[in-house]
Amino acid sequence: ISSKDHGYEFWCNRRHFCWSMGHSDFLDMKALNRFQRVQQVLNWINHEWPIGRPVVIKWKPKLEDNCSAMTFRDGKNLVIHISKKRNPTWELSVDTLIHEAAHCILWGMASVEDRTAHHPPSFWSLYGEIRDRFDHDHGAEQAKEFPIKRMNA
């Protein structure tokens, strides 16, 4: 809450609330689209579980083999391709991102990812930890505080 011209101003659930001299107004703020929110969630994940290298999200109309997403290395970056067709909602997009981000965290600075099992027990443990924090420990709310632009690792 901040003082502004003898009133107060704060944000609440994508609404800007202004109170001044006994008068209050709710101003609807433009809601973020799923692409922007997914970037915020990635930035939150990278803050909580440092990935160790830049991660780039690229949205594709659809991916080969009708998969939801795929992650690979491109130079020093990790790139996550997410299928728009297979992830049409915010909920599916975030779940897919958390899955792919768990791969990124486990790969980290490793030179060769394909020598390990694709989904070892450590993967599911990390995925569950991130999912639990996001769903039940204020992760979804915390992610909203992160920028919608890509942050460097």
Side-chain angles (χ1 to χ4, degrees):
I1 299 176
S2 65
S3 146
K4 185 176 182 179
D5 299 325
H6 307 292
Y8 292 91
E9 161 175 49
F10 63 93
W11 298 89
C12 178
N13 294 332
R14 290 189 305 244
R15 291 179 176 262
H16 184 217
F17 179 78
C18 297
W19 178 86
S20 180
M21 304 299 289
H23 176 71
S24 67
D25 291 315
F26 275 102
L27 306 172
D28 277 332
M29 303 306 294
K30 182 179 177 190
L32 300 179
N33 63 42
R34 78 179 192 267
F35 312 114
Q36 294 167 319
R37 286 289 290 131
V38 162
Q39 184 64 57
Q40 282 184 310
V41 173
L42 177 61
N43 291 337
W44 169 76
I45 290 170
N46 197 25
H47 179 265
E48 298 295 314
W49 296 270
I51 294 170
R53 56 175 67 237
V55 179
V56 177
I57 297 172
K58 293 187 178 181
W59 291 87
K60 302 291 183 178
K62 66 181 195 173
L63 298 174
E64 60 189 50
D65 298 330
N66 205 26
C67 64
S68 296
M70 54 192 257
T71 299
F72 58 92
R73 181 169 296 155
D74 182 19
K76 293 185 179 185
N77 293 328
L78 293 171
V79 179
I80 300 173
H81 282 181
I82 301 178
S83 166
K84 291 179 184 179
K85 180 180 180 182
R86 299 274 298 166
N87 297 282
T89 66
W90 148 249
E91 292 83 5
L92 285 172
S93 299
V94 167
D95 188 60
T96 297
L97 172 72
I98 291 171
H99 179 107
E100 298 304 318
H103 284 301
C104 292
I105 294 163
L106 290 174
W107 290 351
M109 297 300 287
S111 60
V112 180
E113 301 84 41
D114 59 2
R115 291 192 181 172
T116 62
H118 189 62
H119 294 109
S122 59
F123 169 86
W124 292 112
S125 177
L126 179 60
Y127 168 83
E129 178 184 345
I130 297 169
R131 190 78 240 192
D132 188 59
R133 287 266 309 276
F134 186 80
D135 293 336
H136 305 294
D137 195 21
H138 307 291
E141 292 81 19
Q142 291 170 355
K144 291 177 184 177
E145 302 299 321
F146 283 81
I148 59 174
K149 293 185 179 178
R150 184 170 71 90
M151 295 171 55
N152 292 329

